[in-house]
């Protein structure tokens, strides 16, 4: 049947664009995620408020240490993961079914009833389904910016949106119940009312085309791959998780795909090596190793499809001093508490500094506070404090002196909830399953990529691979090195983004021993150094004995030590590790044997990676991840990888998700070309500057009422002059003087607005925008009944369509430019007046 294979929304748009709407945002095709900006705050440069404590950053490492606090230790307990949030309290209902025994009205009983004004009821567990949507990266009760730009509903903020979200969440939940099945659209027709068929099509097509459901390696999904491709051919550069995810998804969509890989293996920076010796063997993850969060992690879903179980990394992590003695529990708790307080001070500092914090490093802020407050006094306390710094550098694969104080943790609000886990047998099992059936040509080092209106040419050695489109998934380190020549040269904004983002280093020493001599009731333990420059040298040990199939221990090297490690002879490295281990265990009467086999990584000098993973460096921001993700050449050359996702950078699942994202983008452009439809370029060439500028302008709105803000395009009072409206969805709503006026319409829309600004999104505010006239803005301000009535008036009476900040497009550029110029002149005039006053005697 037609719906048994991936389908895309029809080209014909069912909605006439309302005034000031942008037709290219209507739902014609499987819309791309042009520059993934899942940050609910459309402009991260505009706010420096910390969403969760700094210490949450450690969760990315998979190592969430619990210090050995004595019972009397006054240490601030860590906050729970940010997702999923707790269910809303009873006082704030979430999608409650309408009253009455039959919420879905029968139109035959009342022919004049407009069912489109009713909130549908699919089942009795909408809250549980909303939580499932959260784990997949969707807001519980609002649209993502990508959905808004894809035009999944005709207007933002109405009953139609509520019903779409209910349907979307239901489809997600149904598939998550059994990820081995291919969920069909027909399976929902019995629970979705006929008048919502358009919303069912919209939600189903969006979820399938963007890889939220029906992805992976289950037999029911693999059998949907067409035997003969019917769509254009795509050349994928790199067989890492991003490249493999995109290749499989594109094959599912009917594309012809070839993957070029420079190594002799697939997986990229995910590499599981089989270590052997004296009848012992173990699977060692020398690259990506920890699944950071299992709630909604797509790699966890792949593992589930393969029938693999995950192993939770335990939090217990004893620390040992340089002499091998255990760290005193009282001192451990004291220093960790002091460390976290300094991070909090740095958080408050960046809020006060504003955008200036972009030019300051996290390391400089911490070092300043450390000297001012003197929290670590004794040598032992200093060594312990330095261990925490090393752990922070491990989390970011970067030196603290290079990390942006403003945005180093910009992805923390999107940290996936759930346990951090190992995959028994290594992550290579995921790579192997994803690579099956994919055409991969190994030992093909790409050195040139040509792209233009007629297609692409990818050159590896003396061979040329031609395609309609290409997807580049090479690591950021390779792009920074200029190892690949792009013809024509990449746009300057992308080159600048590549330069601004940081790409750090983490190395490992893996050792297979004859037997397990360390404690089996822990998965990690740490070692302190008395040399600050070596604080990251073998500072943390991971025990893989329970998951690798043998007595395997891996020592980590982070920060400055990771760079020096690149030139350290492997024998010297193993000798130093053994000295540490023997200093810890031999005083306990435990003999430490020589390893049967040892392996030292050199990710920094590996020509196919030139580093480990990305971070936000000084001068960079989360926008740079978006810039790296942008396609070039009018939809001919695309980019994926962990450094192209601002929400999940530096993670294995981030790389995988970026591959699914680009498969949707490639399909969108291919369909558009087949139908000779020009794809509007989004975002515009000045997205980063425009986003920052727009946020600056809205810091001083000309009008502000409730959750609505307005800036006027001209100083003139012409009622037809242009204005830009911003609506804040989520967060704490401001009250206006009109909010106390209660009307029947207000009560009827109360549920809707609660859903738009619910408990779930109070910490993750989403801004949507539109263009209107000065007169319309003034009329909107006078609407009584609170924000829900204003939203109704805006969408239903004025017929205005709200869009994400990228959706404003070129139509708003002149308005923004005129406002900037007018305010600039105003400030210049004000400064001139001030100088005249100051010079008076």
């Amino acid at each position: 049947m037609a719906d048994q294979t991936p389908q895309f929304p029809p080209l014909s748009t069912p909605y006439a664009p309302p005034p000031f709407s942008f037709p290219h945002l209507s739902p014609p095709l499987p819309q791309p995620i042009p520059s993934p900006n899942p940050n609910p705050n459309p402009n991260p440069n505009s706010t420096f408020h910390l969403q969760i404590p700094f210490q949450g950053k450690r969760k990315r490492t998979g190592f969430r240490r619990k210090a050995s606090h004595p019972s009397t230790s006054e240490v601030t307990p860590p906050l729970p993961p940010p997702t999923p949030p707790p269910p809303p309290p009873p006082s704030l209902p979430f999608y409650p079914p309408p009253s009455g025994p039959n919420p879905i009205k029968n139109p035959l009983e009342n022919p004049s009833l407009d069912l489109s004004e009713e909130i549908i009821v699919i089942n009795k567990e909408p809250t549980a389904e909303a939580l499932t949507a959260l784990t997949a990266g969707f807001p519980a009760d609002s649209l993502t910016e990508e959905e808004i730009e894809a035009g999944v509903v005709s207007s933002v903020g109405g009953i139609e949106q509520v019903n779409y979200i209910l349907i979307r969440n239901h489809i997600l939940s149904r598939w998550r119940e059994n990820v081995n099945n291919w969920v069909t659209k027909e399976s929902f027709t019995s629970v979705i009312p006929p008048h919502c068929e358009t919303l069912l099509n919209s939600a189903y097509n969006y979820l399938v085309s963007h890889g939220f459901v029906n992805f992976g390696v289950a037999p029911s999904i693999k059998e949907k791959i067409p035997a003969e491709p019917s769509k254009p051919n795509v050349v994928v550069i790199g067989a890492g998780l991003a490249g493999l995810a995109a290749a499989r998804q594109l094959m599912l969509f009917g594309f012809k795909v070839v993957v070029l890989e420079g190594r002799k293996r697939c997986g990229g920076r995910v590499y599981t090596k089989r270590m052997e010796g004296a009848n012992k063997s173990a699977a060692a993850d020398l690259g990506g190793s920890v699944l950071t969060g299992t709630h909604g992690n797509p790699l966890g879903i792949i593992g589930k499809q393969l029938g693999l179980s995950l192993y939770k990394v335990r939090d217990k992590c004893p620390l040992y001093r340089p002499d091998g003695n255990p760290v005193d529990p009282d001192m451990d708790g004291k220093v960790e508490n002091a460390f976290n307080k300094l991070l909090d001070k740095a958080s408050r500092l960046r809020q006060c500094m504003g955008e200036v914090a972009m030019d300051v490093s996290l390391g400089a802020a911490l070092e300043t506070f450390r000297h001012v407050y003197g929290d670590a006094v004794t040598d032992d306390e200093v060594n312990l404090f330095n261990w925490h710094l090393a752990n922070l550098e491990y989390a970011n694969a970067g030196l603290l002196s290079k990390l942006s104080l403003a945005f180093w943790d910009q992805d923390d609000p999107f940290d996936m909830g759930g346990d951090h886990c190992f995959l028994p047998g290594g992550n290579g099992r995921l790579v192997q399953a994803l690579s099956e059936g994919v055409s991969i040509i190994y030992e093909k080092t790409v050195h040139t990529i040509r792209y233009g209106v007629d297609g692409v040419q990818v050159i590896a050695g003396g061979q040329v691979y031609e395609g309609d489109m290409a997807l580049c998934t090479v690591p950021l380190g390779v792009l920074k090195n200029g190892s690949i020549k792009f013809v024509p040269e990449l746009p300057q904004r992308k080159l600048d983004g590549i330069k601004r983002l940081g790409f750090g280093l983490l190395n490992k020493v893996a050792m297979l021993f004859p037997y397990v001599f360390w404690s089996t009731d822990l998965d990690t333990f740490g070692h302190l150094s008395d040399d600050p420059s070596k604080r990251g040298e073998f500072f943390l040990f991971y025990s893989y004995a329970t998951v690798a199939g043998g007595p395997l221990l891996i020592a980590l090297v982070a920060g400055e030590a990771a760079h020096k490690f690149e030139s350290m002879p492997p024998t010297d490295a193993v000798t130093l590790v053994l000295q540490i281990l023997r200093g810890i265990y031999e005083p306990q009467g435990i003999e430490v044997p020589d390893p049967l086999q040892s392996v030292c990584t050199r990710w920094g000098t590996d020509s196919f990676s030139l580093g480990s993973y990305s971070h936000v460096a000084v001068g960079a921001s989360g926008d740079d991840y978006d810039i790296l993700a942008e396609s070039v050449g009018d939809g001919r050359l695309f980019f994926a990888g962990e450094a192209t996702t601002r929400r999940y950078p530096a993670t294995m699942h981030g790389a995988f998700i970026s591959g699914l994202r680009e498969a949707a983008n490639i399909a969108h452009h291919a369909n558009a070309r087949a139908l000779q439809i020009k794809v509007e370029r989004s975002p515009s060439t000045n997205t980063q500057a425009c986003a920052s500028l727009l946020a600056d302008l809205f810091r001083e709105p000309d009008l502000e009422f409730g959750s609505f803000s307005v800036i006027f395009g001209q100083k003139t009072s012409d009622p037809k002059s242009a204005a830009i409206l911003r609506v804040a969805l989520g967060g704490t709503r401001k009250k206006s003087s009109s909010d106390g006026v209660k009307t029947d319409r207000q009560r009827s829309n109360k549920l809707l607005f609660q859903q738009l600004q619910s408990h779930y999104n109070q910490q993750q505010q989403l801004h949507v925008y539109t263009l209107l006239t000065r007169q319309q803005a003034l009329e909107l301000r006078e609407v009584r009944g609170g924000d829900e009535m204003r939203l109704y008036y805006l969408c239903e009476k004025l017929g205005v369509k709200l869009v994400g900040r990228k959706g404003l497009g070129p139509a708003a550029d002149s308005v923004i430019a005129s406002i900037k110029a007018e305010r600039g002149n105003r400030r210049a005039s004000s400064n001139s007046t001030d100088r005249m006053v100051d010079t008076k005697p």
Side-chain angles (χ1 to χ4, degrees), residues 229-235 250 253-257 467-469 636 666-667 669-671 673-674:
S230 60
K231 295 187 178 181
N233 60 320
V234 180
V235 181
L250 289 169
F253 293 163
F255 287 83
K256 182 180 180 180
V257 182
D468 293 275
M469 291 165 285
R636 293 294 182 177
I666 290 170
H669 281 82
N671 290 351
R673 267 192 293 271

Side-chain angles (χ1 to χ4, degrees), residues 522-543:
L522 51 82
D523 298 314
T524 57
F525 59 92
H527 176 260
L528 278 55
S529 172
D530 52 13
D531 183 347
S533 67
K534 295 182 179 180
R535 65 191 182 200
E537 185 178 83
F538 318 123
F539 83 104
L540 185 64
F541 290 80
Y542 271 109
S543 167

Side-chain angles (χ1 to χ4, degrees), residues 9-92:
L11 276 167
S12 58
T13 173
Y15 310 113
F20 295 106
S21 68
F22 303 91
H24 70 279
L25 296 179
S26 298
L29 294 167
Q31 293 289 337
I33 309 177
S35 171
N37 180 18
N39 190 339
N41 183 341
N43 178 24
N45 293 343
S46 66
T47 177
F48 293 83
H49 294 289
L50 193 61
Q51 299 293 338
I52 57 177
F54 270 134
Q55 51 263 40
K57 176 56 60 177
R58 292 186 224 158
K59 289 183 284 189
R60 178 190 290 172
T61 69
F63 167 52
R64 293 178 284 188
R65 178 175 177 269
K66 290 184 178 178
S68 303
H69 303 313
S71 58
T72 58
S73 178
E74 296 182 0
V75 180
T76 304
L79 292 180
T83 56
S91 60
L92 185 58

Side-chain angles (χ1 to χ4, degrees), residues 347-368:
S347 172
R348 290 190 289 271
L349 172 65
R350 69 178 177 186
Q351 294 181 40
C352 299
M353 294 176 67
E355 293 186 11
V356 178
M358 288 186 66
D359 300 321
V360 178
S361 74
L362 174 64
L366 290 178
E367 194 64 26
T368 299

Side-chain angles (χ1 to χ4, degrees), residues 288-358:
S289 57
V290 181
L291 295 183
T292 50
T294 54
H295 288 165
N297 192 319
L299 294 179
I301 291 176
I302 300 297
K304 190 173 183 179
Q305 291 173 337
L306 295 172
L308 306 178
S309 58
L310 300 178
Y311 175 85
K312 177 185 176 182
V313 180
R314 290 169 287 186
D315 294 332
K316 182 180 179 181
C317 180
L319 300 181
Y320 296 92
R321 292 161 42 187
D323 60 7
N325 291 318
V327 170
D328 177 69
D330 286 312
M331 183 178 69
D332 190 359
K334 172 188 173 183
V335 173
E336 182 172 23
N337 196 30
F339 176 75
N340 290 336
K341 286 182 177 179
L342 286 190
L343 286 172
D344 290 338
K345 288 184 175 71
S347 172
R348 290 190 289 271
L349 172 65
R350 69 178 177 186
Q351 294 181 40
C352 299
M353 294 176 67
E355 293 186 11
V356 178
M358 288 186 66

Side-chain angles (χ1 to χ4, degrees), residues 31 47 83-84 118 185 203 247 290 305 336 366 402 506 520 595 616 677 683 719 725:
Q31 293 289 337
T47 177
T83 56
E118 293 294 324
K185 187 164 58 180
V290 181
Q305 291 173 337
E336 182 172 23
L366 290 178
K402 303 293 186 182
L506 174 74
T520 57
V616 182
I677 296 177
L725 170 74

